[in-house]
């Protein structure tokens, strides 16, 4: 009996060790591009593609970051990306949480059909509707403005994804909380704002991270709707380091490092709620 228990413990320990080694190997693979980006951002232009590659630059060239600020109006592109991403995130969270609560808690005719039609829009690639969207935005006079970059993600596929996430979370909240609030005279709006939203912090954190990340990294929409250089966002501005003579890799990587920092900050402060949101947002009917 003791031998059997000892064998089971050894087997479990061996299984855990294998999992740790596997996770470590995957982590190394995932971190390699980021490490190479940081390393390249500190190299001399002639050392970028030296063979064998050197992970630690020698000498370290911090001037690359200053050169980025002198080469392009990086602060302007940074500000454009920040305020667009913040507006898209705030709008998506607001409208998606309201719609998600409606689909989860308010009965109305055709609710399931409407929700299914909404989800079906996520299956349409953005490239397929690019031309109709461009023509529509042109008729509205929104070309070469930031309005398409804000309105379309909030009410497009990103917003539908947010509705799905919030609906699934609200379905997991006991109905007894709402019934008790209604007995006390609370309206639907007050239940949504004072009960549902505070309980939905994990789902909101998940939606914030996904939405901010998607808006921050969006390259396709700015490429279509933006012509004025002053209105460019960071992903589009990074292409300015490539021209007919080649790519300034050391400057491109320096700019990429600075562009990545807000994403790391957002995830750092919301990682606990993000993990809770992913684990608690299941497929409920």
């Amino acid at each position: 009996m003791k031998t059997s228990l000892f064998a089971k413990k050894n087997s479990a320990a061996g299984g855990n060790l294998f999992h740790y080694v596997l996770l470590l190997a995957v982590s190394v693979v995932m971190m390699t591009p980021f490490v190479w980006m940081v390393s390249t951002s500190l190299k001399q232009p002639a050392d970028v593609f030296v063979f064998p590659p050197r992970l630690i630059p020698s000498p370290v060239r911090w001037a690359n970051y200053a050169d980025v600020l002198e080469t392009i109006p990086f602060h302007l592109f940074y500000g454009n990306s920040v305020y667009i991403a913040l507006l898209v995130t705030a709008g998506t969270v607001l409208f998606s949480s309201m719609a998600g609560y409606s689909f989860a808690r308010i009965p109305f005719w055709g609710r399931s059909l409407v929700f299914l039609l909404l989800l079906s829009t996520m299956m349409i690639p953005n490239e397929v509707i690019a031309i109709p969207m461009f023509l529509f935005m042109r008729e509205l006079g929104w070309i070469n403005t930031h309005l398409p970059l804000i309105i379309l993600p909030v009410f497009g596929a990103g917003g539908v994804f947010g509705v799905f996430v919030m609906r699934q979370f609200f379905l997991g909240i006991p109905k007894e909380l709402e019934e008790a609030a209604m007995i006390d005279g609370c309206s639907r709006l007050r239940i949504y704002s004072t009960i549902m939203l505070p309980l939905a912090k994990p789902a909101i954190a998940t939606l914030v991270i996904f939405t901010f990340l998607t808006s921050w990294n969006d390259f396709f929409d700015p490429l279509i709707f933006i012509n004025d250089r002053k209105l460019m966002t960071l992903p589009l501005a990074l292409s300015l380091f490539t021209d007919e003579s080649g790519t300034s890799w050391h400057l491109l990587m320096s700019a990429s490092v600075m562009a990545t920092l807000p994403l790391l900050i957002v995830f750092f402060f919301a990682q606990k709620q993000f993990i809770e949101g992913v684990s608690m947002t299941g497929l409920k009917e």
Side-chain angles (χ1 to χ4, degrees):
M1 184 70 176
K2 292 182 178 180
T3 303
S4 176
L5 292 175
F6 183 74
K8 289 182 178 179
K9 289 182 179 180
N10 285 342
S11 176
N16 291 334
L17 179 61
F18 172 77
H19 291 155
Y20 290 140
V21 172
L22 180 62
L23 290 175
L24 179 61
V26 173
S27 300
V28 170
V29 173
M30 297 293 291
M31 287 295 296
T32 298
F34 182 77
V35 173
W36 184 86
M37 178 179 68
V38 175
S39 175
T40 304
S41 71
L42 299 172
K43 289 180 179 179
Q44 302 281 350
D47 296 336
V48 173
F49 293 109
V50 67
F51 188 84
R54 288 180 295 188
L55 186 62
I56 301 177
S58 180
V60 175
R61 192 172 189 271
W62 296 101
N64 288 340
Y65 291 90
D67 292 342
V68 169
L69 302 179
E70 295 177 0
T71 303
I72 61 175
F74 193 78
H75 65 284
L76 181 62
F77 305 142
Y78 217 95
N80 291 339
S81 289
V82 167
Y83 100 85
I84 289 175
L86 289 178
L87 288 179
V88 170
T89 302
T92 300
V93 170
L94 175 63
F95 291 108
S96 296
S97 60
M98 295 176 68
Y101 174 70
S102 300
F103 281 114
R105 286 291 190 254
I106 302 177
F108 57 88
W109 185 87
R111 181 176 63 174
S112 298
L113 177 60
V114 173
F115 184 68
L116 181 62
L117 291 175
L118 277 178
L119 290 183
S120 65
T121 62
M122 297 178 61
M123 304 177 187
I124 304 175
N126 195 27
E127 294 77 8
V128 174
I129 60 175
I131 295 178
M133 281 292 99
F134 177 84
L135 297 177
F136 183 53
M137 294 296 106
R138 188 180 64 179
E139 291 298 320
L140 294 177
W142 289 2
I143 297 298
N144 209 29
T145 70
H146 287 152
L147 288 175
L149 308 183
I150 298 171
I151 301 299
L152 293 182
V154 173
F155 297 101
V160 174
F161 172 76
V163 173
F164 171 77
V165 170
M166 298 306 298
R167 173 186 178 271
Q168 299 307 111
F169 190 90
F170 286 139
L171 285 175
I173 297 178
K175 292 183 178 180
E176 288 76 11
L177 291 176
E178 285 182 285
E179 294 173 354
M182 288 180 179
I183 292 176
D184 291 337
C186 289
S187 63
R188 284 285 187 184
L189 182 60
R190 187 174 180 183
I191 292 174
Y192 159 78
S193 59
T194 61
I195 297 178
M196 289 300 186
L197 282 186
L199 292 176
K201 287 181 180 179
I204 292 176
T206 303
L207 185 57
V208 165
I209 291 178
F210 278 119
T211 304
F212 190 90
L213 178 65
T214 302
S215 178
W216 187 266
N217 289 331
D218 188 17
F219 177 82
F220 187 75
D221 285 347
L223 181 64
I224 295 176
F225 299 115
I226 299 299
N227 299 320
D228 191 345
R229 183 168 176 171
K230 294 181 180 179
L231 299 176
M232 284 184 176
T233 57
L234 273 180
L236 196 58
L238 293 179
S239 63
L240 298 177
F241 293 105
T242 300
D243 53 27
E244 294 81 0
S245 59
T247 301
S248 302
W249 289 104
H250 59 299
L251 298 182
L252 177 59
M253 292 300 105
S254 299
S256 298
V257 170
M258 291 189 285
T260 306
L261 290 179
L263 303 180
L264 299 178
I265 293 173
V266 169
F267 183 78
F268 177 79
F269 284 104
Q271 60 178 326
K272 181 179 178 181
Q273 290 80 6
F274 172 71
I275 295 173
E276 290 179 359
V278 172
S279 61
M280 296 177 66
T281 306
L283 298 176
K284 298 182 178 66
E285 295 295 338

Short mmCIF file of all heavy atoms in Angstrom, two decimals, residues 55-95:
data_model
loop_
_atom_site.label_atom_id
_atom_site.label_comp_id
_atom_site.label_asym_id
_atom_site.label_seq_id
_atom_site.Cartn_x
_atom_site.Cartn_y
_atom_site.Cartn_z
N LEU A 55 22.96 38.79 -28.37
CA LEU A 55 21.76 39.17 -27.62
C LEU A 55 21.98 40.46 -26.84
O LEU A 55 21.09 41.30 -26.76
CB LEU A 55 21.36 38.03 -26.68
CG LEU A 55 20.05 38.21 -25.92
CD1 LEU A 55 18.88 38.32 -26.89
CD2 LEU A 55 19.83 37.05 -24.95
N ILE A 56 23.17 40.60 -26.27
CA ILE A 56 23.48 41.80 -25.49
C ILE A 56 24.29 42.75 -26.37
O ILE A 56 25.41 42.41 -26.78
CB ILE A 56 24.28 41.44 -24.22
CG1 ILE A 56 23.45 40.48 -23.35
CG2 ILE A 56 24.62 42.70 -23.43
CD1 ILE A 56 24.18 40.01 -22.11
N PRO A 57 23.75 43.91 -26.69
CA PRO A 57 24.46 44.83 -27.58
C PRO A 57 25.76 45.34 -26.95
O PRO A 57 25.83 45.54 -25.73
CB PRO A 57 23.47 45.99 -27.77
CG PRO A 57 22.15 45.45 -27.32
CD PRO A 57 22.44 44.43 -26.29
N SER A 58 26.74 45.54 -27.79
CA SER A 58 28.01 46.09 -27.32
C SER A 58 28.58 46.96 -28.44
O SER A 58 29.01 46.43 -29.48
CB SER A 58 28.98 44.98 -26.95
OG SER A 58 30.21 45.51 -26.49
N PRO A 59 28.58 48.28 -28.27
CA PRO A 59 28.07 49.03 -27.11
C PRO A 59 26.56 49.22 -27.17
O PRO A 59 25.94 49.11 -28.22
CB PRO A 59 28.80 50.37 -27.26
CG PRO A 59 28.93 50.54 -28.75
CD PRO A 59 29.18 49.15 -29.29
N VAL A 60 25.99 49.56 -26.01
CA VAL A 60 24.56 49.85 -25.94
C VAL A 60 24.32 51.27 -26.45
O VAL A 60 24.96 52.23 -26.00
CB VAL A 60 24.04 49.72 -24.50
CG1 VAL A 60 22.58 50.14 -24.41
CG2 VAL A 60 24.21 48.28 -24.01
N ARG A 61 23.40 51.39 -27.40
CA ARG A 61 23.15 52.70 -28.03
C ARG A 61 21.77 53.22 -27.64
O ARG A 61 20.77 52.98 -28.31
CB ARG A 61 23.27 52.58 -29.56
CG ARG A 61 23.31 53.91 -30.28
CD ARG A 61 23.61 53.72 -31.77
NE ARG A 61 23.86 54.99 -32.44
CZ ARG A 61 22.92 55.74 -32.99
NH1 ARG A 61 21.66 55.33 -32.96
NH2 ARG A 61 23.24 56.88 -33.58
N TRP A 62 21.71 53.96 -26.52
CA TRP A 62 20.45 54.53 -26.05
C TRP A 62 19.97 55.65 -26.96
O TRP A 62 18.79 56.02 -26.93
CB TRP A 62 20.61 55.07 -24.63
CG TRP A 62 20.92 54.01 -23.62
CD1 TRP A 62 22.13 53.70 -23.08
CD2 TRP A 62 19.98 53.10 -23.03
NE1 TRP A 62 22.02 52.66 -22.19
CE2 TRP A 62 20.70 52.26 -22.14
CE3 TRP A 62 18.61 52.89 -23.17
CZ2 TRP A 62 20.10 51.26 -21.39
CZ3 TRP A 62 18.01 51.89 -22.42
CH2 TRP A 62 18.75 51.09 -21.55
N ALA A 63 20.87 56.16 -27.78
CA ALA A 63 20.50 57.27 -28.66
C ALA A 63 19.46 56.88 -29.70
O ALA A 63 18.84 57.76 -30.33
CB ALA A 63 21.75 57.81 -29.36
N ASN A 64 19.25 55.58 -29.91
CA ASN A 64 18.24 55.15 -30.87
C ASN A 64 16.86 55.70 -30.52
O ASN A 64 16.08 56.08 -31.41
CB ASN A 64 18.18 53.63 -30.94
CG ASN A 64 19.39 53.04 -31.63
OD1 ASN A 64 20.09 53.72 -32.37
ND2 ASN A 64 19.65 51.76 -31.39
N TYR A 65 16.55 55.74 -29.22
CA TYR A 65 15.24 56.22 -28.79
C TYR A 65 15.10 57.73 -29.04
O TYR A 65 14.03 58.20 -29.43
CB TYR A 65 15.03 55.89 -27.31
CG TYR A 65 14.86 54.42 -27.05
CD1 TYR A 65 15.95 53.60 -26.79
CD2 TYR A 65 13.60 53.83 -27.10
CE1 TYR A 65 15.80 52.24 -26.57
CE2 TYR A 65 13.42 52.47 -26.88
CZ TYR A 65 14.53 51.69 -26.62
OH TYR A 65 14.37 50.34 -26.41
N ALA A 66 16.17 58.46 -28.82
CA ALA A 66 16.14 59.89 -29.12
C ALA A 66 16.04 60.13 -30.62
O ALA A 66 15.35 61.07 -31.07
CB ALA A 66 17.39 60.57 -28.56
N ASP A 67 16.69 59.27 -31.40
CA ASP A 67 16.64 59.41 -32.86
C ASP A 67 15.22 59.20 -33.38
O ASP A 67 14.82 59.81 -34.38
CB ASP A 67 17.60 58.43 -33.53
CG ASP A 67 19.06 58.78 -33.27
OD1 ASP A 67 19.32 59.93 -32.87
OD2 ASP A 67 19.92 57.90 -33.44
N VAL A 68 14.47 58.31 -32.74
CA VAL A 68 13.08 58.08 -33.15
C VAL A 68 12.27 59.36 -33.00
O VAL A 68 11.50 59.74 -33.89
CB VAL A 68 12.45 56.95 -32.30
CG1 VAL A 68 10.94 56.89 -32.54
CG2 VAL A 68 13.07 55.61 -32.66
N LEU A 69 12.45 60.04 -31.87
CA LEU A 69 11.70 61.27 -31.61
C LEU A 69 12.09 62.39 -32.57
O LEU A 69 11.29 63.29 -32.84
CB LEU A 69 11.92 61.71 -30.17
CG LEU A 69 11.52 60.70 -29.09
CD1 LEU A 69 11.82 61.25 -27.70
CD2 LEU A 69 10.06 60.30 -29.20
N GLU A 70 13.33 62.34 -33.07
CA GLU A 70 13.78 63.36 -34.01
C GLU A 70 13.40 63.04 -35.45
O GLU A 70 13.23 63.94 -36.27
CB GLU A 70 15.31 63.52 -33.90
CG GLU A 70 15.78 64.04 -32.55
CD GLU A 70 17.30 64.10 -32.47
OE1 GLU A 70 17.95 63.73 -33.47
OE2 GLU A 70 17.82 64.51 -31.41
N THR A 71 13.26 61.74 -35.75
CA THR A 71 12.97 61.32 -37.13
C THR A 71 11.52 61.57 -37.50
O THR A 71 11.21 62.05 -38.60
CB THR A 71 13.31 59.84 -37.32
OG1 THR A 71 14.68 59.62 -36.97
CG2 THR A 71 13.08 59.42 -38.76
N ILE A 72 10.60 61.23 -36.60
CA ILE A 72 9.17 61.42 -36.85
C ILE A 72 8.54 62.08 -35.63
O ILE A 72 9.09 62.01 -34.53
CB ILE A 72 8.46 60.06 -37.13
CG1 ILE A 72 8.59 59.14 -35.91
CG2 ILE A 72 9.01 59.41 -38.38
CD1 ILE A 72 7.83 57.84 -36.04
N PRO A 73 7.38 62.73 -35.79
CA PRO A 73 6.67 63.31 -34.63
C PRO A 73 6.01 62.21 -33.80
O PRO A 73 4.77 62.07 -33.79
CB PRO A 73 5.65 64.26 -35.27
CG PRO A 73 5.42 63.69 -36.63
CD PRO A 73 6.72 63.09 -37.07
N PHE A 74 6.84 61.43 -33.12
CA PHE A 74 6.36 60.23 -32.43
C PHE A 74 5.34 60.58 -31.36
O PHE A 74 4.38 59.83 -31.15
CB PHE A 74 7.56 59.50 -31.80
CG PHE A 74 7.25 58.11 -31.34
CD1 PHE A 74 7.16 57.06 -32.24
CD2 PHE A 74 7.03 57.84 -29.99
CE1 PHE A 74 6.87 55.78 -31.81
CE2 PHE A 74 6.75 56.56 -29.56
CZ PHE A 74 6.68 55.53 -30.47
N HIS A 75 5.52 61.70 -30.67
CA HIS A 75 4.58 62.08 -29.60
C HIS A 75 3.18 62.33 -30.16
O HIS A 75 2.17 62.03 -29.51
CB HIS A 75 5.09 63.33 -28.89
CG HIS A 75 5.14 64.54 -29.77
ND1 HIS A 75 6.12 64.73 -30.74
CD2 HIS A 75 4.31 65.62 -29.86
CE1 HIS A 75 5.91 65.86 -31.36
NE2 HIS A 75 4.83 66.43 -30.87
N LEU A 76 3.10 62.85 -31.38
CA LEU A 76 1.81 63.10 -32.01
C LEU A 76 1.09 61.79 -32.33
O LEU A 76 -0.11 61.64 -32.03
CB LEU A 76 2.00 63.92 -33.28
CG LEU A 76 0.74 64.30 -34.06
CD1 LEU A 76 -0.17 65.18 -33.20
CD2 LEU A 76 1.11 65.03 -35.35
N PHE A 77 1.81 60.85 -32.92
CA PHE A 77 1.22 59.54 -33.23
C PHE A 77 0.84 58.80 -31.95
O PHE A 77 -0.18 58.11 -31.90
CB PHE A 77 2.21 58.70 -34.04
CG PHE A 77 2.69 59.39 -35.30
CD1 PHE A 77 4.00 59.27 -35.72
CD2 PHE A 77 1.82 60.15 -36.06
CE1 PHE A 77 4.44 59.91 -36.87
CE2 PHE A 77 2.24 60.79 -37.22
CZ PHE A 77 3.56 60.67 -37.62
N TYR A 78 1.67 58.95 -30.93
CA TYR A 78 1.39 58.32 -29.64
C TYR A 78 0.08 58.85 -29.06
O TYR A 78 -0.77 58.08 -28.58
CB TYR A 78 2.54 58.59 -28.68
CG TYR A 78 2.89 57.45 -27.76
CD1 TYR A 78 3.90 56.55 -28.10
CD2 TYR A 78 2.22 57.26 -26.56
CE1 TYR A 78 4.24 55.51 -27.27
CE2 TYR A 78 2.54 56.22 -25.72
CZ TYR A 78 3.55 55.35 -26.08
OH TYR A 78 3.88 54.29 -25.24
N GLY A 79 -0.06 60.17 -29.09
CA GLY A 79 -1.29 60.77 -28.57
C GLY A 79 -2.52 60.35 -29.34
O GLY A 79 -3.58 60.09 -28.75
N ASN A 80 -2.40 60.24 -30.67
CA ASN A 80 -3.53 59.78 -31.48
C ASN A 80 -3.95 58.37 -31.07
O ASN A 80 -5.15 58.09 -30.91
CB ASN A 80 -3.16 59.81 -32.96
CG ASN A 80 -3.00 61.21 -33.50
OD1 ASN A 80 -3.53 62.17 -32.94
ND2 ASN A 80 -2.28 61.35 -34.59
N SER A 81 -2.99 57.48 -30.92
CA SER A 81 -3.30 56.10 -30.56
C SER A 81 -3.90 56.00 -29.17
O SER A 81 -4.83 55.23 -28.93
CB SER A 81 -2.04 55.23 -30.65
OG SER A 81 -1.64 55.03 -31.99
N VAL A 82 -3.37 56.80 -28.23
CA VAL A 82 -3.85 56.74 -26.85
C VAL A 82 -5.31 57.17 -26.77
O VAL A 82 -6.15 56.44 -26.20
CB VAL A 82 -2.98 57.62 -25.93
CG1 VAL A 82 -3.65 57.81 -24.57
CG2 VAL A 82 -1.61 57.00 -25.74
N TYR A 83 -5.64 58.31 -27.35
CA TYR A 83 -7.01 58.78 -27.16
C TYR A 83 -8.01 57.97 -27.98
O TYR A 83 -9.16 57.75 -27.54
CB TYR A 83 -7.10 60.29 -27.46
CG TYR A 83 -7.63 60.68 -28.80
CD1 TYR A 83 -9.00 60.80 -29.02
CD2 TYR A 83 -6.77 60.96 -29.87
CE1 TYR A 83 -9.50 61.18 -30.24
CE2 TYR A 83 -7.27 61.35 -31.10
CZ TYR A 83 -8.64 61.45 -31.28
OH TYR A 83 -9.13 61.83 -32.50
N ILE A 84 -7.60 57.47 -29.14
CA ILE A 84 -8.50 56.60 -29.91
C ILE A 84 -8.75 55.29 -29.16
O ILE A 84 -9.89 54.84 -29.04
CB ILE A 84 -7.92 56.33 -31.30
CG1 ILE A 84 -7.98 57.59 -32.16
CG2 ILE A 84 -8.68 55.19 -32.00
CD1 ILE A 84 -7.30 57.44 -33.52
N ALA A 85 -7.69 54.68 -28.64
CA ALA A 85 -7.84 53.42 -27.92
C ALA A 85 -8.69 53.60 -26.65
O ALA A 85 -9.51 52.74 -26.32
CB ALA A 85 -6.47 52.85 -27.56
N LEU A 86 -8.51 54.72 -25.95
CA LEU A 86 -9.29 54.96 -24.74
C LEU A 86 -10.77 55.18 -25.07
O LEU A 86 -11.65 54.64 -24.38
CB LEU A 86 -8.74 56.19 -24.00
CG LEU A 86 -7.38 56.01 -23.33
CD1 LEU A 86 -6.94 57.32 -22.67
CD2 LEU A 86 -7.41 54.89 -22.30
N LEU A 87 -11.06 55.93 -26.12
CA LEU A 87 -12.46 56.16 -26.50
C LEU A 87 -13.12 54.87 -26.98
O LEU A 87 -14.27 54.59 -26.64
CB LEU A 87 -12.54 57.23 -27.59
CG LEU A 87 -12.26 58.67 -27.15
CD1 LEU A 87 -12.35 59.62 -28.34
CD2 LEU A 87 -13.24 59.11 -26.07
N VAL A 88 -12.40 54.09 -27.78
CA VAL A 88 -12.95 52.83 -28.26
C VAL A 88 -13.20 51.88 -27.09
O VAL A 88 -14.24 51.22 -27.02
CB VAL A 88 -11.99 52.18 -29.28
CG1 VAL A 88 -12.42 50.75 -29.60
CG2 VAL A 88 -11.94 52.99 -30.56
N THR A 89 -12.27 51.82 -26.15
CA THR A 89 -12.43 50.94 -25.00
C THR A 89 -13.61 51.37 -24.14
O THR A 89 -14.44 50.54 -23.74
CB THR A 89 -11.14 50.93 -24.17
OG1 THR A 89 -10.05 50.51 -24.98
CG2 THR A 89 -11.28 49.98 -22.98
N ALA A 90 -13.70 52.66 -23.85
CA ALA A 90 -14.80 53.15 -23.02
C ALA A 90 -16.15 52.94 -23.71
O ALA A 90 -17.12 52.49 -23.07
CB ALA A 90 -14.59 54.64 -22.71
N GLY A 91 -16.22 53.25 -24.99
CA GLY A 91 -17.48 53.07 -25.72
C GLY A 91 -17.88 51.61 -25.81
O GLY A 91 -19.06 51.27 -25.64
N THR A 92 -16.91 50.73 -26.06
CA THR A 92 -17.21 49.31 -26.17
C THR A 92 -17.71 48.75 -24.85
O THR A 92 -18.68 47.99 -24.80
CB THR A 92 -15.97 48.54 -26.63
OG1 THR A 92 -15.55 49.03 -27.91
CG2 THR A 92 -16.26 47.05 -26.74
N VAL A 93 -17.04 49.11 -23.75
CA VAL A 93 -17.46 48.62 -22.43
C VAL A 93 -18.86 49.12 -22.10
O VAL A 93 -19.71 48.36 -21.60
CB VAL A 93 -16.46 49.06 -21.35
CG1 VAL A 93 -17.01 48.77 -19.96
CG2 VAL A 93 -15.12 48.35 -21.55
N LEU A 94 -19.14 50.40 -22.37
CA LEU A 94 -20.45 50.96 -22.04
C LEU A 94 -21.57 50.29 -22.82
O LEU A 94 -22.52 49.75 -22.24
CB LEU A 94 -20.45 52.47 -22.31
CG LEU A 94 -21.79 53.18 -22.13
CD1 LEU A 94 -22.25 53.08 -20.69
CD2 LEU A 94 -21.68 54.65 -22.55
N PHE A 95 -21.47 50.30 -24.14
CA PHE A 95 -22.56 49.77 -24.97
C PHE A 95 -22.64 48.24 -24.91
O PHE A 95 -23.74 47.68 -24.94
CB PHE A 95 -22.40 50.25 -26.41
CG PHE A 95 -22.62 51.72 -26.58
CD1 PHE A 95 -21.56 52.56 -26.84
CD2 PHE A 95 -23.88 52.26 -26.47
CE1 PHE A 95 -21.76 53.93 -27.00
CE2 PHE A 95 -24.10 53.62 -26.62
CZ PHE A 95 -23.03 54.46 -26.87
#
